[in-house]
């Protein structure tokens, strides 16, 4: 934690100032804010202590206002009702200041801004500055791998990268039609066995002329 010129942790001043708001002590808040601003001369501690002092002033103002208004009314029945209403309103204001002070102490202990509504912007203006707006949260989209362009039927597109138009599925004609020029069906031809060949007998030897004459 950062320390000031006197060796005191700077967050001590706003923490003690908001504790004084809970104790309803605006004078102590003013002293702590003056010490942070003029002695330590630290802007952060001075702004947080200023918020605590302004909160204590608001509580003190509303409590005094309700008491003074009730003191001016002397109607028996009406004054009783108004005093009860003023007491309830004063208690609500004081309760809201206590809740805001506790939340501010928790933030200041972490060296963050107290961020008391309305008072935080006013403390910035006292220092001649404008309260910075919180940065909008950025939503990180989940990572998606790049997809390859596909043609029809989910197959990769082999072209130049442009996705091909989907093609309609093939539909067979109904009823089925016969082909225009059917091929002739093959005909069965029985095997042809060659005719058996008869053995040729040798021719008889021719007789000579002399033997023919003797006969």
């Amino acid at each position: 934690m950062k320390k000031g010129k006197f060796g005191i942790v700077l967050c001590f001043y706003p923490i003690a100032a908001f504790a004084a708001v809970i104790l309803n002590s605006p004078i102590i808040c003013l002293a702590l804010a003056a010490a942070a601003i003029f002695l330590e001369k630290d802007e952060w501690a001075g702004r947080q202590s200023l918020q605590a002092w302004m909160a204590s002033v608001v509580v003190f103002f509303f409590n005094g206002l309700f008491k003074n208004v009730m003191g001016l009314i002397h109607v028996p029945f009406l004054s009783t009702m108004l005093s009860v209403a003023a007491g309830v309103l004063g208690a609500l204001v004081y309760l809201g200041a206590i809740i805001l002070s506790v939340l501010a102490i928790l933030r200041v202990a972490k060296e963050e801004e107290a961020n008391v509504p309305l008072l935080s912007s006013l403390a910035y203006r006292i220092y001649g500055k404008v309260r910075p707006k919180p940065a909008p949260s950025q939503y990180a989209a989940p990572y998606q791998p790049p997809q390859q362009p596909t043609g029809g039927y989910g197959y990769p597109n082999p072209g130049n990268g442009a996705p091909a138009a989907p093609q309609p599925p093939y539909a067979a004609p109904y009823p089925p039609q016969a082909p225009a020029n059917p091929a002739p069906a093959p005909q069965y031809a029985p095997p042809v066995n060659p005719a058996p060949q008869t053995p040729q007998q040798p021719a008889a030897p021719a007789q000579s002329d002399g033997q023919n004459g003797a006969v």
Side-chain angles (χ1 to χ4, degrees):
M1 292 184 179
K2 186 178 179 181
K3 294 184 179 181
K5 297 179 179 180
F6 303 98
I8 301 175
V9 180
L10 291 176
C11 64
F12 164 77
Y13 297 97
I15 289 176
F18 281 109
V21 175
I22 297 175
L23 299 176
N24 197 11
S25 302
I27 298 177
I28 298 177
C29 287
L30 179 59
L32 292 169
I37 295 171
F38 298 107
L39 297 181
E40 295 290 353
K41 295 182 180 181
D42 185 80
E43 181 182 348
W44 177 83
R47 280 190 285 104
Q48 316 315 314
S49 302
L50 273 177
Q51 295 180 52
W53 176 70
M54 288 186 288
S56 66
V57 169
V58 170
V59 174
F60 180 80
F61 172 77
F62 276 100
N63 289 334
L65 179 64
F66 294 148
K67 291 179 181 179
N68 293 331
V69 171
M70 292 305 103
L72 298 176
I73 300 175
H74 300 286
V75 180
F77 180 73
L78 184 60
S79 61
T80 303
M81 293 182 60
L82 291 177
S83 62
V84 173
V88 172
L89 292 176
L92 291 177
V93 171
Y94 184 54
L95 179 61
I98 291 174
I99 294 174
L100 292 176
S101 299
V102 171
L103 295 176
I105 289 173
L106 296 177
R107 297 190 190 103
V108 170
K110 300 177 183 179
E111 295 186 353
E112 298 176 358
E113 294 289 332
N115 287 334
V116 179
L118 300 178
L119 303 182
S120 178
S121 301
L122 185 57
Y124 270 100
R125 290 184 180 275
I126 292 175
Y127 274 88
K129 297 182 179 180
V130 179
R131 179 183 177 183
K133 296 182 180 180
S137 58
Q138 298 180 356
Y139 173 74
Y143 172 76
Q144 295 182 357
Q147 298 180 359
Q148 183 180 3
T150 57
Y153 307 104
Y155 294 101
N157 185 18
N160 56 356
Q167 301 178 0
Y170 173 76
Y174 183 82
Q177 300 177 0
N181 297 321
Q187 298 180 1
Y188 175 74
V192 178
N193 295 326
Q197 298 180 1
T198 57
Q200 297 181 0
Q201 297 179 359
Q207 295 180 0
S208 62
D209 296 336
Q211 291 178 354
N212 294 336
V215 177

